[in-house]
Amino acid sequence: MSAPLLLEVSELRKHFIAPRHWFSPAKPPIQAVDGVSFTVARGETLSLVGESGCGKTTTAKSVLRLIEPTSGSVKLDGEELLTLDANQMRLRRRHMQIIFQDPYASLSPRLTAGEIVAEPLRNFGASNAAQRQERVQWLFSKVGLRPEAAKKYPHEFSGGQRQRLGIARALALEPKLIVCDEPVSALDVSVQAQVVNLLTDLQAEFGLAYLFVAHDLAVVRHISHRVAVMYLGHIVEVADRDTLFNAARHPYTESLLAAVPVPDPRITRERILLQGDLPSPANPPPGCRFHTRCPLAQAICKEQRPPLTQRGTNDQGGQWVACHLR
Ligand code: SF4
């Protein structure tokens, strides 16, 4: 993707300090995100994928500083965000919105749908009451909600309609970037497709960039321009969508793809079964963090962390892999 960069994340870390009781020894920090770097261009969708506990949601929330990162750099339009004070950051948030996995939990049950979408407009003093109402109606039409739905409360909507409401609220301040945190995983499959298509249409219309967190690779394949694969707080592979799905190199990416069901029974795919569970991020394995489960692991893998290195080039950013052998 040759569009200008919007988001630049470098060496981002989030280590959670476990609470300590009076006489107990200090516990090691939980290295949820440990040195993650990536970029998102204007109008681009970068997906973060990986198993539960790999750090993808923590990464996304750290970018918005909904979770305060331990260290690193996050730049939006070239401006460093991690050094801004709370008020400066609040002002920048109008450019960076989030859509949550559970729309019901993220919508105030005491406000009508119209009030929920108008709230960010009011908070930022963006318009008077009449202009807010007009804008709310326009946003409802953009996300496929009927104007009369503005008078309803969140519990009166279906799951898909609630997610449309969450999208309308996220769009209210004309953001440049929307973090989508598992936005369709709580929805029925038929509704998932509608919401994913809505996100795609809105991106085309408004030039939005998405940082899309998901574990459903079918959805990721549909919506992404590029995909970053995370394992235990590290990015292990980044590539454009077609390269990742057709020519993945990292053994962990291969195992994730092998677990995706193929709809054609004539096509058989070799299954790569991972051994063991995801290790604890409080005590990650040395060297390559994947070595305890990797079928290709060698002696070097237990000693040296493989850097994320460019393996292939194209005009979509190329393919980057963190593996000693691939
Ligand atoms: Fe497997 Fe070694 Fe590559 Fe890690 S570096 S993915 S352990 S082969």
Side-chain angles (χ1 to χ4, degrees):
M1 192 128 186
S2 52
L5 291 183
L6 176 67
L7 180 72
E8 298 167 79
V9 176
S10 304
E11 289 296 313
L12 187 69
R13 285 185 169 76
K14 178 59 191 176
H15 293 182
F16 292 99
I17 307 298
R20 183 183 175 188
H21 298 293
W22 275 98
F23 298 109
S24 60
K27 294 178 181 166
I30 296 165
Q31 301 174 26
V33 177
D34 194 44
V36 159
S37 303
F38 59 85
T39 58
V40 184
R42 290 179 186 282
E44 181 187 34
T45 300
L46 175 74
S47 290
L48 294 178
V49 305
E51 290 166 282
S52 295
C54 70
K56 54 189 188 298
T57 291
T58 304
T59 299
K61 289 185 174 174
S62 297
V63 165
L64 297 180
R65 291 182 64 186
L66 298 177
I67 295 174
E68 202 59 47
T70 305
S71 64
S73 167
V74 177
K75 291 181 181 172
L76 185 76
D77 265 339
E79 182 186 35
E80 178 61 57
L81 299 182
L82 300 194
T83 54
L84 299 180
D85 64 28
N87 193 46
Q88 291 169 325
M89 190 62 210
R90 191 185 77 83
L91 295 174
R92 301 313 183 278
R93 284 228 175 83
R94 65 177 301 162
H95 304 305
M96 311 164 74
Q97 296 290 309
I98 184 166
I99 303 167
F100 293 98
Q101 175 179 7
D102 180 357
Y104 196 49
S106 66
L107 302 173
S108 171
R110 290 190 295 278
L111 298 180
T112 65
E115 290 168 335
I116 286 169
V117 175
E119 193 177 31
L121 297 169
R122 197 169 45 241
N123 289 344
F124 281 88
S127 51
N128 61 37
Q131 289 169 329
R132 279 200 298 272
Q133 190 176 7
E134 191 180 325
R135 176 123 178 107
V136 168
Q137 295 294 323
W138 181 81
L139 286 163
F140 270 45
S141 72
K142 285 294 165 192
V143 301
L145 290 173
R146 299 169 70 85
E148 54 269 30
K151 293 190 172 65
K152 291 183 176 180
Y153 287 87
H155 72 271
E156 298 177 84
F157 289 93
S158 68
Q161 287 172 327
R162 278 198 286 267
Q163 198 53 289
R164 288 175 189 270
L165 191 54
I167 294 169
R169 183 179 59 179
L171 284 176
L173 295 172
E174 301 177 35
K176 300 170 182 173
L177 172 76
I178 297 182
V179 169
C180 306
D181 183 14
E182 302 266 14
V184 297
S185 57
L187 304 176
D188 291 341
V189 173
S190 59
V191 181
Q192 283 184 6
Q194 294 170 14
V195 173
V196 168
N197 288 339
L198 172 64
L199 289 170
T200 307
D201 292 346
L202 293 171
Q203 181 175 56
E205 184 168 356
F206 300 116
L208 297 164
Y210 294 140
L211 180 59
F212 195 89
V213 175
H215 64 270
D216 184 335
L217 292 181
V219 171
V220 167
R221 186 169 200 165
H222 186 79
I223 199 166
S224 308
H225 296 104
R226 289 186 303 130
V227 182
V229 181
M230 288 193 70
Y231 184 82
L232 210 57
H234 289 171
I235 288 180
V236 297
E237 182 159 11
V238 188
D240 62 275
R241 175 192 50 194
D242 291 341
T243 300
L244 192 108
F245 279 91
N246 297 324
R249 285 175 178 255
H250 197 281
Y252 178 62
T253 312
E254 287 181 337
S255 68
L256 283 184
L257 295 175
V260 178
V262 182
D264 187 340
R266 292 166 299 180
I267 299 175
T268 57
R269 193 188 258 167
E270 187 186 355
R271 291 185 73 83
I272 304 168
L273 293 178
L274 292 181
Q275 305 295 319
D277 295 325
L278 193 69
S280 167
N283 186 24
C288 174
R289 289 189 171 183
F290 188 53
H291 84 252
T292 56
R293 303 168 79 193
C294 179
L296 307 180
Q298 309 283 313
I300 188 177
C301 306
K302 299 174 186 170
E303 293 160 10
Q304 294 180 23
R305 174 181 170 177
L308 194 63
T309 308
Q310 189 161 21
R311 297 288 198 270
T313 55
N314 58 27
D315 59 3
Q316 295 169 298
Q319 184 174 23
W320 296 71
V321 185
C323 176
H324 292 303
L325 305 187
R326 295 288 181 84

